[in-house]
Amino acid sequence: MIKNPSAAVPPAGGLVLRPARPTDLDQIGALLTARGEPDDAVDHRLVVTDPDAGLSACAVVVDGDRVVSTATLLDEELRIGGIRLPAGQVELVATDAEYEGRGLVRALMDWAHARSAARGHLVQAMIGIPYFYRLFGYEYAIDIPQVLDVNTLPPGDGSATLLRTARPSDIASMAALQASAQSGFDVTMPHSAACWRWLLDHESSNLMVLERDGAVVATARTTPPGDEVLVAEAAAHDAAAARDLLRGVAALAPGDPIRIVHRAGTVTGDAWQEFADHQPRAGAEQYYIRIPDAAALLDRLRPLLWQRLTKAGIDRTGRDIVISTFGAHHRIPVLPDGLGPVTTGGPMRSPGTAGGAGVAPDHLAALLFGPHGMQGLSRIRPDVYAADEELFEALFPPVTADVLSYYLPY
């Protein structure tokens, strides 16, 4: 572990990992373009020149004066049951092809996780290469919503609306629409204030707003016209605005197929149901989550766990809730008026004998933030089980989630 995330360290062979400097920006941009997309260089500049992130959010590995690898850590926030969890998200990772296989990404991930810990993050979230980031402690946990083909467009109802590119003055309206859309989900990650600013100048997607009588009543993030147009992060004040939004996006790219990200239970999700082809998705798509300190996270979640316990009418006053990740175990005392601080002990191979639950560490994120809950996971994972099913199914129910991220996961 890199103890000081601002320090320069030698990964190997004379290479040095250090915070990025202004003189590195051109090389970082060239590396991101060569190993990813030209838009990545633009996105990196937006992050490191923003006062909420800055150049300290980025690190590089250098060989002399040459930048050969880079990564950036973004500040995020995951919310569950009214509890806000500071989070980090690693993005804009790239390594020069000549330097691959030398552990540079691992060194940068260590830097990112050390910086994340220093900033008080309790989890990290990520969209990433399949399997690769499991090597760094990430596990699949939160479902990515389906993308549906639009078969027909909604008819016009004669209302006067205007679809246009979003402006900085629209951020408050867009954020309010997204907050309303996310209010029906158990787990959410909204855009940060900084991310809203970046997305206005982001080149691989466009922020659009729909105006009615001078007020913003709908918003979406769309990909530029081309082979197809993707409509993501759609939110609307009402069904009429949702239909006008979809029709307006289609009008900007006549003839291009339109695909929509389905946000179940939202205004747009409901309003667009009849116009989309609801074929089952082929394959699994999920966001990665990393939990660096299970005890710290469980401790932060105590008010939510108490709320669930009392709602279920389960009285365990004077007894501990025991959760074992097998290599360690965590005890949460049940007091008359709440849950006491989490204490952690050593390995516990048979938590059932203590009336507890066993959760393999690589399934803990899915248990806390995923759609299966204790009941669902225990049916498909032999190393997730509970001695007291009623208790642990109440504590860890299936949850719905809606994540807004800098990059679209499609």
Side-chain angles (χ1 to χ4, degrees):
M1 173 65 72
I2 301 172
K3 300 299 183 184
N4 180 359
S6 65
V9 296
L15 304 181
V16 174
L17 188 157
R18 59 166 172 77
R21 301 168 182 166
T23 52
D24 298 324
L25 289 180
D26 288 344
Q27 286 197 65
I28 295 171
L31 178 59
L32 290 169
T33 298
R35 301 296 289 167
E37 301 290 340
D39 293 342
D40 293 347
V42 176
D43 294 335
H44 181 264
R45 290 259 182 179
L46 291 171
V47 171
V48 300
T49 58
D50 189 281
D52 282 0
L55 204 55
S56 63
C58 176
V60 294
V61 176
V62 294
D63 186 353
D65 294 330
R66 181 182 174 188
V67 173
V68 297
S69 193
T70 186
T72 297
L73 178 75
L74 308 180
D75 289 316
E76 303 285 4
E77 183 178 82
L78 204 63
R79 301 176 183 178
I80 178 169
I83 296 174
R84 299 187 172 196
L85 303 174
Q89 183 171 16
V90 183
E91 283 288 4
L92 297 162
V93 180
T95 298
D96 189 298
E98 183 182 337
Y99 289 78
E100 287 185 331
R102 297 171 65 172
L104 304 190
V105 171
R106 181 169 293 281
L108 284 163
M109 294 300 289
D110 284 347
W111 164 84
H113 295 154
R115 176 177 169 82
S116 193
R119 296 183 70 79
H121 299 162
L122 292 172
V123 295
Q124 289 91 32
M126 175 183 278
I127 306 162
I129 302 167
Y131 176 72
F132 182 67
Y133 288 98
R134 293 177 67 182
L135 300 172
F136 310 113
Y138 289 80
E139 295 299 336
Y140 292 110
I142 298 174
D143 283 354
I144 293 172
Q146 289 182 299
V147 173
L148 308 176
D149 294 321
V150 173
N151 290 333
T152 59
L153 291 174
D157 60 5
S159 61
T161 56
L162 169 68
L163 183 67
R164 60 170 175 81
T165 302
R167 301 187 286 256
S169 58
D170 298 318
I171 288 177
S173 297
M174 291 188 291
L177 285 167
Q178 293 296 354
S180 179
Q182 290 195 319
S183 64
F185 294 90
D186 302 308
V187 178
T188 61
M189 191 170 86
H191 286 313
S192 66
C195 190
W196 279 115
R197 294 192 293 271
W198 306 335
L199 291 176
L200 289 172
D201 293 318
H202 185 65
E203 294 188 352
S204 58
S205 67
N206 306 312
L207 274 180
M208 309 297 295
V209 295
L210 185 80
E211 279 189 354
R212 180 198 295 151
D213 298 327
V216 172
V217 293
T219 185
R221 192 170 162 193
T222 66
T223 54
D227 294 334
E228 65 178 27
V229 176
L230 178 69
V231 185
E233 299 181 6
H237 181 268
D238 51 45
R243 290 190 292 267
D244 286 350
L245 174 65
L246 184 58
R247 194 169 51 252
V249 170
L252 295 176
D256 285 356
I258 306 294
R259 305 184 76 204
I260 56 173
V261 176
H262 181 56
R263 300 175 84 180
T266 65
V267 172
T268 55
D270 292 342
W272 293 350
Q273 282 271 8
E274 62 185 293
F275 308 111
D277 181 5
H278 291 262
Q279 292 296 319
R281 176 175 53 195
E285 296 288 345
Q286 292 186 312
Y287 293 98
Y288 280 119
I289 297 290
R290 178 178 181 268
I291 299 175
D293 186 335
L297 178 58
L298 289 169
D299 203 62
R300 182 67 65 92
L301 293 176
R302 280 188 292 139
L304 175 61
L305 299 178
W306 172 251
Q307 180 186 66
R308 290 172 175 172
L309 192 65
T310 55
K311 183 179 179 180
I314 299 174
D315 184 3
R316 285 182 60 91
T317 304
R319 301 171 64 186
D320 290 348
I321 297 168
V322 178
I323 302 167
S324 173
T325 53
F326 301 105
H329 74 280
H330 311 286
R331 292 183 177 271
I332 311 174
V334 181
L335 308 177
D337 56 354
L339 301 182
V342 175
T343 59
T344 299
M348 181 181 283
R349 303 299 181 190
S350 301
T353 60
V359 185
D362 51 346
H363 300 318
L364 184 58
L367 178 70
L368 296 176
F369 305 114
H372 298 294
M374 175 60 77
Q375 184 180 59
L377 282 176
S378 65
R379 289 178 177 174
I380 59 176
R381 299 288 182 240
D383 47 10
V384 177
Y385 60 88
D388 186 334
E389 294 180 356
E390 181 187 18
L391 169 65
F392 285 99
E393 287 172 13
L395 289 172
F396 303 112
V399 293
T400 59
D402 188 78
V403 173
L404 304 182
S405 53
Y406 191 17
Y407 287 99
L408 296 173
Y410 305 100

